[in-house]
């Protein structure tokens, strides 16, 4: 995952495709400011969305000159906008070419509709496209007939707002794709069954905790490790990761302390709780989970495989009060169990992502799994 020009982390294509799949929605729209990586992500997504070549429309602005519309796969290019220095800047200084979008543009969208491919793409939809009634209507017809992956310009225009609000579309805002989400890494267990020091034990050359810290490194607004272990605290200090060391005995204490730490200075929209001993969760999975949580912000999102639901779990802000008031010794699972109607599950890449380590035998088994299927 690469940062965008505005320093927001950009989700990988694989994470975005998994989010779309679990959402059950028909279309995928990407938006964001200049340099956010919308077109780059769209190009990487198309082979994941459809195994065959996807037809579509590209519009490209030539600064100080005009805007061209290119039809894919025919390659036909038509000038649809011209630069007008008399218009106020710095944006929207192109005037539409009469008949451009309503002619070649509509024909290109019609060709997408006639294609046997179930998908089409449009890169991008902006203020010029919004001004042409015929092109707008053709785009709406395309959305009715095909699944569409589109780039929407980040502007407050009625047609763009209408598209972004469609209930059948996933909208990923690359200026802040993962929302305002915190992460509490639960590292307060004593590891008695392991013999102590569990989170600092190595799996294929890296400690269990290092693996979790790597998986959660990007995408969260803030994170904290909550622990009772001096060694864990030292590892976090060495990596520059905030750590809250305490001496309280209960799992509910860890949840409450972590949430209070993350929200003491500014609010969060959601918070993920991540076991410190679940070392094979991939960062791609974490990012897909965060995209899903940002896309349906009132839900509880958790990782699962088959009939097994597990961790990490992302809770919306509306449930923070219940998390802070957990019964003694209970974890966030009690809140999820109290609200089954809110629970959504993201399928893991494999059951290994859900595996935690309680004993040395568990660790040895995970070592064997990694030897058979090394993770990148």
């Amino acid at each position: 995952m690469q940062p965008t020009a505005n320093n927001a982390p950009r989700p990988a294509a694989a994470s975005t495709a998994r989010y779309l799949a679990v959402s059950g929605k028909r279309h995928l729209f990407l938006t964001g400011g200049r340099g956010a990586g919308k077109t780059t992500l769209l190009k990487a997504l198309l082979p994941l969305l459809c195994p065959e070549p996807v037809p579509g429309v590209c519009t490209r602005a030539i600064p100080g000159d005009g805007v061209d519309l290119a039809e894919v796969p025919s390659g036909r290019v038509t000038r649809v906008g011209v630069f007008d220095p008399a218009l106020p800047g710095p944006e929207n200084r192109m005037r539409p070419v009469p008949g451009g979008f309503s002619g070649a543009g509509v024909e290109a969208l019609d060709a997408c509709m006639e294609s046997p491919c179930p998908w089409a793409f449009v890169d991008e939809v902006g203020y010029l496209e919004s001004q042409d009634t015929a092109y707008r209507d053709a785009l709406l017809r395309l959305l009715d007939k095909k699944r569409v992956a589109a780039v929407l310009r980040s502007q407050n225009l009625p047609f763009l707002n209408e598209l972004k609000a469609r209930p059948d579309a996933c909208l990923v805002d690359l200026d802040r794709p993962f929302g305002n989400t915190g992460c509490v890494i639960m590292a307060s267990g004593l590891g008695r069954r392991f013999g102590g020091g569990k989170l600092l034990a190595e799996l294929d050359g890296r400690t269990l905790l290092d693996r979790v810290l790597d998986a959660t490194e990007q995408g969260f607004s803030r994170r904290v490790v909550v622990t009772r272990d001096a060694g864990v605290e030292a590892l976090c200090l060495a990596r520059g990761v905030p750590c809250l060391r305490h001496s309280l005995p209960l799992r509910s204490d860890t949840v409450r302390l972590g949430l209070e730490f993350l929200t003491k200075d500014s609010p969060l929209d959601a918070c993920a709780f991540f076991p410190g001993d679940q070392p094979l969760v991939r960062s791609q999975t974490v990012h897909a989970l965060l995209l899903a949580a940002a896309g349906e912000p009132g839900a509880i999102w958790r990782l699962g495989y088959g009939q097994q639901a597990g961790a990490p779990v992302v809770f919306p802000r509306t449930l923070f009060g219940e998390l802070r008031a957990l019964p003694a010794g209970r974890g966030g699972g009690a809140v999820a169990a109290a609200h089954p109607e809110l629970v959504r599950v993201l399928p893991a890449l494999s059951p290994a992502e859900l595996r935690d380590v309680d004993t040395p035998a568990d660790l040895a088994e995970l070592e064997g799994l990694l030897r058979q299927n090394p993770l990148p």
Side-chain angles (χ1 to χ4, degrees), residues 54 183 197 235 290 352:
V54 178
C183 177
L235 186 153
L290 288 175

Side-chain angles (χ1 to χ4, degrees), residues 1-4 6-11 174-178 218-220:
M1 181 172 65
Q2 298 297 319
T4 63
N6 58 10
N7 292 321
R10 179 191 304 150
L174 293 183
D175 288 338
R176 198 161 198 178
F178 304 119
Q218 290 186 308
F220 293 102

Side-chain angles (χ1 to χ4, degrees), residues 126-179:
Y127 74 94
L128 280 180
E129 293 85 346
S130 299
Q131 295 179 54
D132 193 293
T133 302
Y135 189 81
R136 293 200 312 264
D137 291 345
L139 181 55
L140 293 176
R141 292 196 303 271
L142 180 64
L143 290 167
D144 287 339
K145 187 168 183 179
K146 300 285 186 178
R147 302 188 72 181
V148 176
V151 169
L152 308 181
R153 195 162 183 177
S154 183
Q155 286 186 298
N156 183 21
L157 297 172
F159 183 63
L160 293 180
N161 293 339
E162 175 188 339
L163 293 177
K164 292 172 186 178
R166 285 180 66 106
D168 61 351
C170 286
L171 178 67
V172 178
D173 186 346
L174 293 183
D175 288 338
R176 198 161 198 178
F178 304 119

Side-chain angles (χ1 to χ4, degrees), residues 327-347:
R330 301 295 299 275
V335 175
H339 300 279
E341 76 284 358
L342 298 180
V343 176
R344 311 286 186 269
V345 177
L346 175 78

Side-chain angles (χ1 to χ4, degrees), residues 254-285:
T254 301
V255 172
R256 175 176 49 79
L257 289 170
L259 189 56
E260 289 177 349
F261 180 91
L262 291 179
T263 58
K264 64 183 178 180
D265 295 323
S266 59
L268 293 169
D269 294 330
C271 189
F273 292 85
F274 206 122
D277 62 352
Q278 197 172 322
L280 297 187
V281 176
R282 306 277 293 277
S283 58
Q284 180 202 121
T285 294

Side-chain angles (χ1 to χ4, degrees), residues 29-252:
F29 297 157
L30 307 177
T31 190
R34 291 181 182 274
K38 302 181 291 295
T39 295
T40 299
L41 179 56
L42 178 66
K43 288 179 178 178
L45 271 165
L46 291 178
L48 302 180
L49 300 179
C50 185
E52 58 189 279
V54 178
V57 174
C58 299
T59 51
R60 294 289 178 265
I62 300 93
D65 183 10
V67 178
D68 289 339
L69 182 146
E71 181 182 340
V72 176
S74 73
R76 182 175 68 157
V77 177
T78 303
R79 177 58 54 99
V80 292
V82 292
F83 178 70
D84 185 346
L87 291 172
E91 293 188 310
N92 301 359
R93 301 185 72 187
M94 300 287 183
R95 289 194 184 277
V97 172
F101 281 106
S102 58
V106 170
E107 291 172 8
L109 295 180
D110 286 343
C112 291
M113 283 183 258
E114 296 304 318
S115 167
C117 181
W119 278 89
F121 76 89
V122 180
D123 181 15
E124 66 178 357
V125 183
Y127 74 94
L128 280 180
E129 293 85 346
S130 299
Q131 295 179 54
D132 193 293
T133 302
Y135 189 81
R136 293 200 312 264
D137 291 345
L139 181 55
L140 293 176
R141 292 196 303 271
L142 180 64
L143 290 167
D144 287 339
K145 187 168 183 179
K146 300 285 186 178
R147 302 188 72 181
V148 176
V151 169
L152 308 181
R153 195 162 183 177
S154 183
Q155 286 186 298
N156 183 21
L157 297 172
F159 183 63
L160 293 180
N161 293 339
E162 175 188 339
L163 293 177
K164 292 172 186 178
R166 285 180 66 106
D168 61 351
C170 286
L171 178 67
V172 178
D173 186 346
L174 293 183
D175 288 338
R176 198 161 198 178
F178 304 119
N180 181 22
T181 303
C183 177
V184 176
I185 297 172
M186 311 278 285
S188 295
L190 298 177
R192 291 190 180 95
R193 293 170 59 192
F194 192 86
K198 175 175 67 173
L199 298 184
L200 302 181
E202 290 193 357
L203 174 62
D204 193 30
R206 288 189 290 159
T207 71
L208 301 187
L209 184 57
D210 273 316
R211 287 178 169 272
V212 171
L213 293 176
D214 290 344
T216 59
E217 191 164 16
Q218 290 186 308
F220 293 102
S221 299
R222 300 183 290 282
R223 63 176 173 163
V224 65
V225 176
V226 184
T227 189
R228 292 185 281 176
D229 186 276
V232 167
E233 183 182 37
L235 186 153
C236 292
L237 180 64
R239 289 193 54 153
V241 177
C243 182
L244 177 61
R245 189 175 170 199
H246 67 102
S247 58
L248 298 176
L250 303 176
R251 184 176 182 83
S252 53

